[in-house]
Amino acid sequence: MDFETLLHAKFGKMDAALTDWDTLIKNLHNLEKSAHDGMKATAVKSEWAGVNSAVGKKFIVKTAGEFADAHTQATSIRNILRDTVGELRIHKRDLEDAISRAQQRHLSVRTSGKGFVVQAAEGDPGKDVKQSDVDAVRDEINGILGRATKSDSSAAKVLRALVDQADKGFSDAVYEDRDQAATAMKKGEELAALARKDPSELTPAEFDRLNAGLARYGKDDLFATTFAQQLGAKDTLDFWAHLNDPNNHDRPADGKRLDQYPELQKNLSLTLANATQSGSAEMSLWKSDMLQ
């Protein structure tokens, strides 16, 4: 997020897009209700025989579920967009306030390429300005731009990941805002980095962090797929094999967590099971690598 873009940001198109998403969510809610109370309910109550009993009924029930997933995914997308726009508005206001306060201290802030320059005002007003004042304003604005960049880039990252969860149809992942989705992906990256370590080098604290993280976030779709993709199929197998190597005398966590292996196995297994429900191209490759 460069200085000029944030300073002169216009949010009219984003507001219009959010209004469209609100309308879409209302319409999908009505379709979901109609599919559940009408199509699905009628199919379940009906007498089925032959091929229709095994294929037709199942297809109708699954199709009705897609309306629910479409409503869920649209809601998550709207929530992430709404949260991001709100954050960017705050960052824009903070930038304007910082520039205004700088001017009161006889400092000018102007655009320079994609960046900005802070300097003393021309003439007598700026003659007593200290370099430390210039540096303080520069650092404050850089901090604002950094936070705006994080809001913008993380929103793009989680939206792409959310849409990629389903190759066909829709994802049933629920997110109330951008932070919730971004945190899930960040936790997935962090715990995958722990699992890539030589198990013998895991400290008790790291073992506990990995185990607790998988237990807490394993049902989260973006966490599960991020963890699996970052770790990779081969490293997943290597991690578990080395952890359980009977010839390995350098036990993880100094051998103090052997009684927790069953719990770790359960949490790891459920996380991977959730990840493999994803229809993304990355997880399709992961599954292929795992089978090989």
Side-chain angles (χ1 to χ4, degrees):
M1 180 70 66
D2 61 65
F3 176 81
E4 186 81 7
T5 298
L6 183 60
L7 182 61
H8 300 294
K10 304 294 184 182
F11 297 103
K13 290 184 178 180
M14 289 300 298
D15 290 337
L18 286 172
T19 299
D20 289 342
W21 277 102
D22 285 335
T23 302
L24 177 62
I25 289 168
K26 292 177 182 177
N27 292 337
L28 286 172
H29 173 72
N30 294 332
L31 287 172
E32 176 190 357
K33 189 175 187 302
S34 177
H36 182 274
D37 297 345
M39 180 171 65
K40 180 180 178 181
T42 301
V44 171
K45 292 177 182 177
S46 300
E47 296 292 333
W48 296 78
V51 174
N52 274 336
S53 178
V55 179
K57 185 176 182 179
K58 182 179 179 181
F59 174 78
I60 290 174
V61 171
K62 182 178 181 180
T63 301
E66 284 294 322
F67 284 100
D69 289 346
H71 177 239
T72 298
Q73 181 168 320
T75 302
S76 292
I77 291 173
R78 188 276 313 274
N79 291 346
I80 293 169
L81 286 174
R82 183 172 59 191
D83 185 49
T84 304
V85 173
E87 288 183 357
L88 290 175
R89 275 196 166 94
I90 293 173
H91 299 321
K92 174 180 168 65
R93 184 193 66 200
D94 290 344
L95 178 59
E96 292 169 341
D97 289 346
I99 293 173
S100 178
R101 281 186 276 104
Q103 290 172 343
Q104 294 171 11
R105 296 161 63 184
H106 307 300
L107 291 165
S108 69
V109 182
R110 60 180 179 81
T111 303
S112 177
K114 291 186 177 182
F116 66 96
V117 173
V118 181
Q119 59 188 28
E122 295 181 358
D124 289 341
K127 66 180 182 180
D128 294 327
V129 171
K130 300 177 181 178
Q131 183 62 41
S132 59
D133 296 331
V134 174
D135 294 343
V137 172
R138 179 202 62 204
D139 293 345
E140 181 184 8
I141 292 178
N142 275 330
I144 294 169
L145 294 176
R147 292 190 292 275
T149 299
K150 181 179 178 181
S151 294
D152 184 51
S153 61
S154 63
K157 182 178 180 180
V158 298
L159 285 171
R160 291 191 180 98
L162 182 61
V163 173
D164 285 344
Q165 290 301 298
D167 179 41
K168 297 178 181 178
F170 305 92
S171 168
D172 61 356
V174 179
Y175 295 99
E176 297 297 328
D177 52 40
R178 179 197 61 83
D179 285 345
Q180 185 183 14
T183 296
M185 295 187 71
K186 182 180 179 181
K187 291 295 182 182
E189 293 170 352
E190 291 175 351
L191 295 188
L194 275 183
R196 279 199 302 271
K197 291 183 65 173
D198 185 331
S200 65
E201 297 178 0
L202 283 177
T203 66
E206 289 174 331
F207 185 98
D208 292 343
R209 181 183 168 202
L210 177 59
N211 198 14
L214 293 173
R216 178 178 179 182
Y217 294 101
K219 293 182 180 179
D220 186 291
D221 292 356
L222 292 185
F223 167 84
T225 53
T226 300
F227 175 82
Q229 291 167 22
Q230 291 287 318
L231 185 55
K234 184 178 184 301
D235 283 347
T236 300
L237 292 175
D238 286 346
F239 168 75
W240 190 249
H242 294 163
L243 195 69
N244 289 275
D245 185 355
N247 297 315
N248 183 9
H249 300 293
D250 297 321
R251 288 291 187 178
D254 298 327
K256 298 176 181 178
R257 296 293 185 268
L258 291 174
D259 60 326
Q260 295 185 27
Y261 279 22
E263 182 185 2
L264 177 61
Q265 182 181 27
K266 180 188 74 172
N267 295 331
L268 177 62
S269 298
L270 292 176
T271 298
L272 297 177
N274 184 19
T276 56
Q277 300 304 305
S278 169
S280 70
E282 291 81 2
M283 281 310 302
S284 294
L285 179 61
W286 188 96
K287 287 181 278 190
S288 176
D289 289 345
M290 177 62 76
L291 291 173
Q292 291 181 28

